């Protein structure tokens, strides 16, 4: 039976949102006074050096920099670093130690593939102006905060890709950090992969048998290979493991890493044949995989907004908009072709139409099928989901064209040249797509590789309210002016006109007036909540695993696919949910998840069986496959 999920205030915002909020709050108090800003910039080097070390970060409370911060912000940071100390001073090897005591030992080499925004990015620019940032992280460390605080324009310039080529802007080189440290921590004690690495180490793994395949998540799949030869290097990693250990490898992915993995499997099958996969990859473990996309990608590209930015306290929202506005964020996001791989796939058949969605509950008063619901722009009125004068609805099938109408031509060309979002049922066309690389991120248009001995584990959390659809409004003239200013660095021409129509282009915003916490589904600040892991909707997490890949046309080799759900049941006293969290990111510290990964790596994968808490099998049956 499906139970209604109570809306929850996010404990932890998305990485880039959290970073922007922290930067916005601090900057508000320092940029007003150039002298104070200069003094803080001089001292911030020492501070960020300390905070980039997760163990030193826990000792932040004694630093003299606290005196510069307002009392409210100091109290907030006290809470953050108090919890950070608890997580960094005690390394958690519990799961690995227990399995080692039961006889587990390394069997297969392990390759880790991170998700969106979790790999650190560092500057390799050597010009006189930017030389001070050489080899410093501009993403994924406290030096990111330093650069954003005191050199925001230059920081954005480095992180923004050229909108036409999808590569570095002229004169800029930013590359992914390498080694296990590239994604062990995001910043200052905020662990990402470290718990998994610790538990693998506890059964005997070390730097020689664990590889973290860091990559520049901003790039399209094509450009990952064209610029960095990423997939060639990844292929070489597996081949080296086979030569050194005489064993296949286990590939463990997280979030968007699951989409990158799927592309890699098709790429290497095309380049080296399915026998290569049979020889070199034992299992693929997808953690919180984004196989069919995420709803939040749509408003993120439209307006730079998502639940993480509209459901925060008003004062923080104000500070964030002043420092790094929604239109500035959207302009930056739209140059990151890699993140566009997360746009939802499959159209109305997967995500629903104006009257029905596969994951609508029996007591639903509104359907998730209306992905974007536009309401009249009358700021004097309060709106609820049962308004009768809604202007229009946009379903998933219309979403692609809607994005094209509301974004610049460069973004349109990027999407069309890198990705497909459809639903292919014809087996002959699915086979022919093996030669069409723009389909290789869409599991509805191309099949799993023909490697029958490969095993695919889908591990993900369930039970945390997740954004699924949105109430929108057309932006104001100020929004149009803000977008023109935000995109000045991206294009020389105005961005408020569409080349196809010549008419002024509307700016969409999430309509935060729409509140209906007593409805089903719950709507809060314009965001309609559904089932999932807090970031990825359940349909994307599990529909292919529980049903789609059971169909021969999408799995012609009959690869074994195991779906193992973890219930989100966080420990109330723990900032990250403790060992029972099913949150999209915090699941990486889950005891159950770590146990499953160690078992698979040590040759006990048969102990990881199908396990369901949600109604994903029922929802998947409702899809018109």
């Amino acid at each position: 039976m499906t139970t209604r999920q109570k809306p929850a205030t996010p404990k932890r915002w998305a990485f880039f949102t959290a970073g922007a909020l922290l930067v916005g709050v601090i900057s508000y108090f320092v940029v007003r006074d150039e002298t104070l800003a200069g003094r803080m910039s001089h001292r911030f080097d020492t501070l960020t050096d300390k905070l980039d070390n997760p163990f030193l970060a826990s000792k932040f409370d004694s630093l003299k920099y606290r005196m510069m911060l307002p009392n409210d912000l100091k109290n907030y940071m006290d809470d953050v670093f108090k919890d950070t100390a608890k997580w960094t001073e005690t390394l958690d090897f519990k799961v690995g130690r227990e399995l080692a005591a039961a006889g587990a030992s390394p069997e297969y080499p392990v390759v880790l593939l991170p998700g969106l925004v979790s790999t650190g990015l560092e500057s390799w620019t050597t010009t006189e102006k930017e030389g001070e940032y050489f080899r410093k992280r501009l993403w994924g460390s406290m030096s990111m905060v330093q650069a954003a605080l005191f050199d925001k324009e230059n920081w954005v310039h480095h992180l923004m890709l050229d909108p036409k080529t999808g590569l570095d802007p002229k004169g800029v080189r930013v590359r992914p950090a390498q080694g296990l440290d590239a994604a062990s921590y995001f910043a200052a004690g905020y662990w990402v992969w470290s718990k998994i690495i610790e538990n693998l180490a506890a059964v005997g793994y070390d730097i020689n048998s664990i590889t973290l395949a860091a990559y520049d998540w901003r790039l399209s799949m094509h450009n990952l290979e064209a610029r960095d030869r990423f997939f060639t290097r990844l292929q070489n990693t597996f081949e080296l493991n086979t030569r050194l250990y005489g064993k296949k490898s286990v590939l463990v992915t997280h979030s968007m890493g699951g989409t990158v993995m799927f592309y890699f499997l098709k790429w290497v099958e095309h380049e080296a044949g399915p026998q290569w996969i049979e020889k070199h990859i034992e299992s693929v473990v997808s953690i919180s995989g984004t196989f069919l996309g995420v709803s939040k990608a749509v408003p993120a590209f439209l307006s730079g907004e998502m639940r993480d930015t509209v459901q925060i306290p008003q004062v923080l929202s104000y500070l964030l908009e002043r420092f790094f506005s929604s239109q500035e964020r959207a302009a930056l996001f739209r140059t990151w072709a890699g993140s566009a791989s997360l746009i939802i796939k499959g159209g109305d058949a997967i995500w629903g139409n104006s009257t029905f969605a596969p994951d609508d509950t029996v007591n639903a008063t509104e359907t998730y099928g209306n992905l974007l619901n536009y309401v009249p722009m009358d700021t004097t009125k309060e709106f609820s989901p049962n308004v009768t004068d809604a202007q229009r609805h946009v379903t998933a099938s219309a979403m692609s064209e809607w994005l094209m109408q509301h974004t610049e031509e460069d973004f349109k060309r990027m999407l069309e040249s890198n990705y497909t979002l459809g639903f292919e049922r014809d087996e002959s066309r699915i086979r022919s797509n093996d030669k069409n690389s723009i389909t290789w991120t869409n599991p509805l248009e191309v099949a799993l590789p023909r490697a029958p001995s490969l095993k695919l584990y889908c591990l993900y959390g369930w039970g945390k309210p997740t954004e699924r659809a949105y109430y929108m409004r057309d932006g104001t003239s100020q929004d149009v002016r803000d977008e023109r200013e935000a995109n000045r660095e991206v294009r020389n021409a105005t961005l408020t006109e569409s080349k196809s129509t010549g008419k002024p282009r509307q700016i969409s915003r999430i309509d935060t007036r729409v509140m209906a916490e007593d409805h089903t589904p719950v709507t809060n600040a314009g965001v309609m909540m559904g089932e999932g892991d807090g970031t990825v909707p359940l349909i994307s997490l599990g529909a292919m695993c529980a049903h789609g890949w059971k169909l021969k046309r999408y799995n012609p080799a009959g690869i074994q696919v195991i779906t193992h759900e973890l219930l989100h049941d966080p420990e109330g006293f723990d900032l990250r949910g403790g060992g029972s969290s099913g949150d999209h990111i915090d699941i990486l510290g889950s005891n159950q998840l770590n146990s499953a990964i160690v078992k698979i790596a040590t040759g006990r994968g048969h102990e990881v069986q199908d396990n369901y808490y949600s109604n994903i099998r029922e929802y998947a049956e409702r899809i018109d496959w």
Side-chain angles (χ1 to χ4, degrees):
M1 177 180 293
T2 300
T3 57
R4 177 176 169 180
Q5 299 296 325
K6 182 179 179 179
T9 302
K11 293 182 179 179
R12 183 258 326 136
W13 301 314
F15 283 151
F16 47 84
T17 306
L21 285 170
L22 179 59
V23 169
V25 173
I26 299 175
S27 64
Y28 177 77
F29 293 103
V30 300
V31 298
R32 296 175 300 175
D33 185 328
E34 293 183 2
T35 302
L36 176 58
R39 291 200 303 267
M40 284 196 70
S41 179
H42 175 72
R43 298 179 182 180
F44 214 83
D45 287 327
T46 304
L47 174 61
T48 54
D49 286 344
K50 288 182 178 293
L51 293 182
D52 279 339
N53 183 321
F55 296 96
L56 290 178
S58 63
K59 305 182 185 304
F60 174 77
D61 59 302
S62 64
L63 295 178
K64 60 185 176 181
Y65 303 98
R66 289 166 45 82
M67 63 183 294
M68 301 181 193
L69 304 177
N71 287 332
D72 289 346
L73 187 56
K74 283 193 289 187
N75 292 336
Y76 170 77
M77 295 186 76
D78 281 342
D79 291 339
V80 170
F81 286 106
K82 179 176 65 178
D83 286 297
T84 294
K86 181 176 65 176
W87 279 89
T88 56
E89 290 177 358
T90 302
L91 297 178
D92 184 10
F93 304 102
K94 177 182 177 181
V95 171
R97 285 171 175 163
E98 290 177 351
L99 287 171
S105 61
E107 177 70 15
Y108 305 109
V110 175
V111 179
L112 308 177
L113 188 61
L116 179 70
V117 309
S118 54
T119 296
L121 302 176
E122 59 186 31
S123 173
W124 280 79
T125 308
T126 57
T127 61
E128 184 175 350
K129 180 181 179 182
E130 286 86 13
E132 64 179 299
Y133 293 122
F134 181 70
R135 296 296 313 282
K136 290 187 177 180
R137 291 197 186 181
L138 299 178
W139 188 270
S141 73
M142 287 301 294
S143 58
M144 169 186 74
V145 179
Q146 177 192 11
L149 270 174
F150 302 109
D151 199 4
K152 174 191 167 186
E153 183 177 346
N154 198 28
W155 176 69
V156 172
H157 179 63
H158 274 71
L159 287 179
M160 183 176 285
L161 296 172
D162 185 297
K164 294 186 182 297
T165 67
L167 298 169
D168 296 305
K170 185 177 180 180
V172 169
R173 281 187 298 167
V174 173
R175 298 293 182 267
Q178 297 298 312
L180 295 181
D181 288 341
S184 293
Y185 290 85
F186 179 69
Y190 191 98
W191 51 262
V192 185
W193 284 91
S194 64
K195 301 296 178 184
I196 290 175
I197 293 170
E198 290 162 12
N199 283 298
L200 286 170
V203 296
Y205 283 87
D206 58 27
I207 192 68
N208 295 307
S209 48
I210 306 176
T211 303
L212 193 145
Y215 63 97
D216 190 338
W217 38 265
R218 301 173 303 157
L219 298 179
S220 68
M221 307 301 154
H222 171 81
N223 280 338
L224 274 174
E225 179 64 16
R227 193 195 76 177
D228 295 346
R229 300 293 186 265
F230 173 72
F231 296 113
T232 297
R233 294 174 187 273
L234 189 55
Q235 179 184 1
N236 291 340
T237 296
F238 286 106
E239 291 173 354
L240 179 61
N241 282 345
T242 303
R243 288 199 299 272
L244 291 177
Y245 298 100
K247 297 284 184 68
K248 302 179 186 181
S249 297
V250 170
L251 175 59
V252 183
T253 75
H254 176 245
S255 189
M256 192 182 93
T259 300
V260 177
M261 168 273 293
F262 192 75
Y263 184 97
F264 169 70
L265 291 179
K266 300 308 298 182
W267 177 89
V268 77
E269 183 181 43
H270 180 265
E271 294 292 318
Q275 68 278 1
W276 184 95
I277 298 173
E278 283 285 281
K279 182 179 179 181
H280 295 290
I281 304 181
E282 169 67 22
S283 303
V284 172
V285 183
S286 168
I287 307 168
S288 309
T290 55
F291 296 120
L292 298 180
V294 294
S295 302
K296 67 167 58 182
V298 179
F301 287 122
L302 280 175
S303 65
E305 298 173 308
M306 58 194 75
R307 178 194 182 196
D308 311 286
T309 60
V310 300
Q311 292 185 5
I312 59 176
Q314 186 173 0
V315 63
L316 290 183
S317 177
Y318 172 75
L319 294 175
L320 177 59
E321 286 300 307
R322 285 197 50 151
F323 181 76
F324 198 20
S325 72
S326 60
Q327 298 306 325
E328 289 178 300
R329 298 193 300 271
L332 179 62
F333 296 163
R334 289 198 290 261
T335 71
W336 292 350
S339 60
S341 69
L342 301 183
I343 294 176
I344 60 175
K345 304 167 179 67
D348 291 359
I350 296 293
W351 299 93
N353 55 40
S354 60
T355 60
F356 164 83
D359 52 337
D360 284 342
T361 57
V362 293
N363 59 338
T365 55
E366 303 293 328
T367 179
Y368 292 126
N370 290 320
L371 182 67
L372 304 177
N373 303 271
Y374 282 79
V375 297
M377 183 53 196
D378 182 352
T379 58
T380 65
K381 294 175 62 178
E382 293 290 334
F383 287 93
S384 63
N386 60 358
V387 293
T388 58
D389 57 347
Q391 293 175 315
R392 56 193 180 276
H393 303 288
V394 179
T395 66
S397 292
M399 177 274 304
S400 179
E401 182 61 29
W402 192 253
L403 271 177
M404 302 302 188
Q405 294 175 9
H406 286 70
T407 53
E408 59 273 17
E409 289 294 315
D410 289 332
F411 183 76
K412 177 180 179 178
R413 284 193 294 270
M414 179 274 291
L415 277 184
E416 291 177 338
S417 61
N418 285 286
Y419 305 112
T420 57
L421 307 174
F423 195 153
E424 184 57 69
R425 298 174 176 84
D426 186 279
E427 291 189 36
S428 62
R429 292 181 180 177
I430 291 173
R431 286 195 300 271
S432 67
N433 283 341
D434 285 346
K435 300 178 181 179
N436 183 6
S437 63
I438 69 171
T439 67
W440 292 350
T441 59
N442 187 350
L444 295 167
E445 295 196 71
V446 68
L448 288 171
R450 289 163 175 79
S453 68
L454 181 68
K455 291 174 281 294
L456 173 58
Y457 297 86
C458 300
L459 309 179
Y460 59 86
W462 174 82
K464 187 171 185 181
T466 304
E467 52 197 285
R468 177 65 171 80
Y470 304 87
Y471 284 87
M472 308 291 291
R473 63 174 174 82
D474 291 324
T476 64
S477 58
Q478 180 61 48
D479 293 321
V480 174
R481 290 193 293 270
D482 289 345
E483 185 178 50
R484 183 189 297 117
E485 180 67 23
N487 286 281
R488 181 175 296 174
E489 193 173 342
V490 185
R491 286 174 55 94
N492 293 325
T494 177
L495 289 177
T496 57
E497 293 184 1
S498 166
K499 289 188 176 181
S500 59
T501 65
K503 298 179 181 179
R505 181 161 55 79
Q506 294 291 339
I507 308 300
S508 292
R509 303 296 300 268
I510 294 177
D511 195 332
T512 58
R513 298 169 298 165
V514 182
M515 304 288 292
E517 296 194 0
D518 57 344
H519 282 224
T520 303
V522 166
T523 298
N524 184 280
V527 182
M528 192 183 299
M529 306 305 294
E531 298 176 63
D533 67 359
T535 296
V536 184
L538 178 61
I539 286 288
S540 182
L541 290 166
M544 290 305 300
C545 306
H547 190 101
W549 283 322
K550 309 296 185 182
L551 304 175
K552 185 176 180 180
R553 67 172 178 265
Y554 300 122
N555 186 2
I559 290 171
Q560 182 182 10
V561 180
I562 297 93
T563 304
H564 191 88
E565 294 183 340
L566 286 75
L567 181 65
H568 178 62
D569 186 22
E571 299 172 10
F573 62 85
D574 200 301
L575 183 69
R576 301 290 299 275
S580 56
S581 176
D583 171 83
H584 182 69
I585 297 168
D586 297 343
I587 195 175
L588 294 171
S590 160
N591 292 336
Q592 188 177 348
L593 179 109
N594 275 263
S595 177
I597 291 172
V598 173
K599 287 179 179 179
I600 294 167
T602 57
R604 300 184 178 192
H606 60 277
E607 297 180 20
V608 181
Q609 300 291 321
D610 284 336
N611 185 63
Y612 293 95
Y613 290 101
S614 76
N615 289 334
I616 186 58
R617 289 172 292 183
E618 176 185 338
Y619 298 159
E621 286 286 347
R622 299 176 186 171
I623 294 173
D624 180 15
W625 296 97

